[in-house]
Amino acid sequence: MEGIPHPIPRTVEEVFNDFKGRRSGLIKALTTDVDKFYQQCDPEKENLCLYGLPNETWEVNLPVEEVPPELPEPALGINFARDGMQEKDWISLVAVHSDSWLLSVAFYFGARFGFGKNERKRLFLMINDLPSIFEVVTGNVKPSKDQSAIHNSSSKSKSSAKSRQSEPESKMVKMSPPSKDEDESGEEDEEDDEQGATCGACGDSYGTDEFWICCDICERWFHGKCVKITPAKAEHIKQYKCPSCSSKRARV
């Protein structure tokens, strides 16, 4: 698929560098070059794929004719879905498939050149230290270099925490408001209110298949999507303040 030959990575470091180069190219396609990428994905054309190249560039092209291909192939036919959904949703979908493709290419090289358990683990840890393309495109998670600041701020005193926050991590990733089993010390009226909670942002009732998060200040519940918080991001938040409470604090 790639017109210019690229050195075949054979060590963990070389595979990781190949991964980073392809990842950079894909991120460019879905961010700074997104208009150009969008135009090239004409639904009237044949099945198209988005390729990230080791030299930090990208291209939209037809899949290789060789079967089986020399390398794992990206998602096929991304152009067909372009006009069937909102642009941001389509870009996010392509980002998810691009993340999957990058991992398949990296571990294809690992299998081809006989990486052992320790080498595969080291490669995964190096890759996992980088935000995924989906996270970069949607802005859901800050780059890893900022995570230390998040962890440092999380060490602050939690003396004002509510009794039902005895398990903060599980609270943050609930798909629905907490049940009575999760709060034996809470009042029944409060629990009943939570079971019938509505989103403090959009006003809709919760669905069992949706991620929710509770503000530790006003105790209102919100759809994660309404306040731009994902389960992954919530894992790093020790005390969540909704946009309204955050703005009130800022004005004080």
Side-chain angles (χ1 to χ4, degrees):
M1 187 73 260
E2 301 156 12
I4 302 175
H6 299 279
I8 298 177
R10 297 175 182 271
T11 67
V12 171
E13 287 72 20
E14 289 175 348
V15 171
F16 181 58
N17 287 334
D18 181 90
F19 176 93
K20 288 196 299 182
R22 296 177 189 275
R23 173 180 173 275
S24 295
L26 292 170
I27 289 175
K28 288 178 183 176
L30 300 177
T31 55
T32 56
D33 297 346
V34 68
D35 291 337
K36 180 180 178 182
F37 168 65
Y38 186 89
Q39 293 172 0
Q40 291 188 20
C41 292
D42 186 348
E44 298 300 320
K45 295 182 179 180
E46 298 182 56
N47 291 308
L48 294 175
C49 300
L50 171 61
Y51 294 88
L53 308 183
N55 62 358
E56 301 186 5
T57 61
W58 60 273
E59 67 176 1
V60 171
N61 214 328
L62 295 171
V64 297
E65 297 179 358
E66 179 184 10
V67 178
E70 181 180 356
L71 291 177
E73 283 287 284
L76 181 66
I78 56 173
N79 52 314
F80 295 149
R82 191 194 73 176
D83 294 345
M85 59 178 68
Q86 293 186 4
E87 180 178 346
K88 65 177 183 179
D89 294 332
W90 177 69
I91 294 296
S92 296
L93 178 64
V94 176
V96 169
H97 282 290
S98 296
D99 280 320
S100 176
W101 176 66
L102 283 178
L103 286 172
S104 68
V105 171
F107 282 89
Y108 163 82
F109 286 129
R112 179 176 175 182
F113 296 108
F115 285 7
K117 178 180 178 180
N118 291 336
E119 291 171 311
R120 293 194 303 270
K121 181 178 181 180
R122 187 154 61 94
L123 175 60
F124 175 77
L125 291 175
M126 293 168 73
I127 290 173
N128 198 46
D129 195 45
L130 297 173
S132 68
I133 296 175
F134 176 78
E135 290 170 339
V136 172
V137 169
T138 59
N140 284 333
V141 176
K142 295 180 180 179
S144 58
K145 65 181 181 180
D146 295 333
Q147 292 301 325
S148 58
I150 296 175
H151 288 301
N152 290 336
S153 64
S154 70
S155 62
K156 294 180 180 178
S157 172
K158 290 181 274 186
S159 59
S160 62
K162 308 171 189 65
S163 62
R164 63 189 181 89
Q165 290 178 359
S166 58
E167 296 178 3
E169 181 173 341
S170 62
K171 168 185 174 294
M172 285 312 209
V173 295
K174 282 188 176 65
M175 298 300 289
S176 63
S179 64
K180 293 182 179 180
D181 292 339
E182 294 167 323
D183 180 18
E184 296 179 356
S185 63
E187 297 180 359
E188 291 185 2
D189 291 342
E190 181 183 353
E191 290 170 346
D192 291 339
D193 290 340
E194 288 168 343
Q195 289 300 316
T198 56
C199 176
C202 70
D204 289 344
S205 299
Y206 82 90
T208 56
D209 59 342
E210 296 178 303
F211 167 68
W212 279 61
I213 187 167
C214 180
C215 176
D216 291 311
I217 306 301
C218 66
E219 297 186 352
R220 288 186 299 168
W221 287 88
F222 298 86
H223 290 111
K225 62 183 179 182
C226 290
V227 291
K228 298 182 179 179
I229 298 292
T230 64
K233 188 173 183 177
E235 292 290 347
H236 300 287
I237 301 176
K238 296 302 180 183
Q239 184 183 56
Y240 173 68
K241 286 185 279 188
C242 69
S244 177
C245 289
S246 295
S247 62
K248 288 178 183 177
R249 284 295 183 91
R251 290 197 295 269
V252 174

